[in-house]
Amino acid sequence: MRTKFRSLSAGGKIGFVVKYLFLLLCVAIALFPILWVIMSSFKTNAEILSSGISLPSSFSFIGYIQALEISPILRYFGNSVVITLAATFLNVLFLSMAGYIFARCQFKGKNLLYFILSLSLVIPMTALMHPVFMVVRTLGMADTMQGLIWGYMALNMRMCLLLLRSTCSGFPRSL
């Protein structure tokens, strides 16, 4: 990069410096809110309200402790991990078999089914949420972890099947 800079003309050097200064400004603007939130997390509420941009007078983790006491964030996070892992495991378990069949076997209507599956990706996920919720509610699984797991499985089935089909078609036939 240093030799490239040296080989530029005077106008080229100015343009080079201006370009990198602009990029540096963009990075600073993008990182400022993140740094502000991190700094504010170590302040008391009074310090945040008095001067939002200043450094904290003393670094303390009281805000984090209070957040964990007020709201069971760790339990919510644990629930999210359990639901995500279960839905992912079940999708891979069931849809890997279907993906293998789509990739390796010949059957009547295979291309039509694959076309319909591919076409279903055009439907936005938000349009599918209400029907999936109605099915989950009808089955009596509303407000349960099982309902969320089945809901996530249903909503992600299209993409997971397409990914697993292409993965299985990449396997050697001898395997």
Side-chain angles (χ1 to χ4, degrees):
M1 185 164 150
R2 185 174 278 175
T3 58
K4 181 182 174 185
F5 184 75
R6 287 184 183 163
S7 66
L8 292 174
S9 65
K13 288 180 182 179
I14 291 172
F16 187 83
V17 170
V18 168
K19 179 174 66 171
Y20 277 96
L21 285 176
F22 176 73
L23 289 174
L24 186 65
L25 178 69
C26 289
V27 168
I29 289 172
L31 289 180
F32 177 75
I34 297 168
L35 294 174
W36 180 76
V37 167
I38 291 170
M39 280 189 347
S40 296
S41 71
F42 294 109
K43 294 180 183 180
T44 64
N45 287 341
E47 285 179 323
I48 292 172
L49 294 174
S50 66
S51 63
I53 302 176
S54 67
L55 291 172
S57 60
S58 64
F59 286 94
S60 68
F61 293 97
I62 293 174
Y64 291 102
I65 294 169
Q66 288 175 345
L68 290 173
E69 289 173 353
I70 293 171
S71 176
I73 295 171
L74 295 177
R75 187 179 77 200
Y76 296 156
F77 180 73
N79 289 345
S80 296
V81 168
V82 167
I83 291 166
T84 303
L85 289 177
T88 303
F89 174 76
L90 291 171
N91 259 347
V92 170
L93 177 71
F94 295 126
L95 296 176
S96 61
M97 294 181 267
Y100 180 79
I101 296 298
F102 266 111
R104 296 289 182 205
C105 299
Q106 296 298 322
F107 56 90
K108 189 175 181 179
K110 172 185 170 182
N111 292 335
L112 178 66
L113 279 173
Y114 187 71
F115 176 73
I116 292 170
L117 178 67
S118 299
L119 195 61
S120 72
L121 289 171
V122 176
I123 303 169
M125 185 143 343
T126 53
L128 298 174
M129 285 180 159
H130 187 260
V132 169
F133 172 73
M134 295 304 289
V135 169
V136 168
R137 190 175 72 176
T138 303
L139 293 174
M141 291 191 289
D143 293 332
T144 64
M145 286 180 105
Q146 293 85 6
L148 276 174
I149 291 169
W150 288 107
Y152 285 130
M153 281 179 59
L155 290 172
N156 294 317
M157 190 180 304
R158 311 169 298 164
M159 183 58 83
C160 188
L161 184 55
L162 287 175
L163 287 172
L164 288 170
R165 178 197 170 272
S166 27
T167 301
C168 289
S169 64
F171 292 154
R173 288 212 179 258
S174 61
L175 185 62

